Amino acid sequence: MGDLSLVHFVVLGAILFAIGLFCVVTRRNAIGILMGIELILNSANVNYVAFGRYARAGYDGQVFAIFVIMLAAAEAAIGLAIVLGIYRSFETIDVEATDRLRR
């Protein structure tokens, strides 16, 4: 077997992005949508690290990936707080049931 090339990582990132986008578009559950966003961010991380490695850019790809991981952690915390607020108000986490913000 040969070595992995940049194309392998870009294809992996594209597959992760497509799965994440599919998850965001088709899920009605707020937790499922947040998981799809996490997949999209992880696909960006794969590409950052792969391009940093194959472009011989030093640690630039890893540094960008760390920033994306920090962004994902903040997004998860804020997203889960919003989901808890929606659940307390509407007693569901179905995003279609929360089309109006008033009771």
Side-chain angles (χ1 to χ4, degrees), residues 55-78:
R56 303 205 192 294
Y59 294 107
D60 291 346
Q62 287 88 347
V63 170
F64 280 122
I66 295 293
F67 280 120
V68 171
I69 290 170
M70 290 187 308
L71 174 72
E75 174 261 332
I78 292 171

Side-chain angles (χ1 to χ4, degrees), residues 3-17:
D3 290 335
L4 292 176
S5 67
L6 179 61
V7 175
H8 291 96
F9 291 106
V10 171
V11 168
L12 176 65
I15 291 169
L16 281 175
F17 183 82

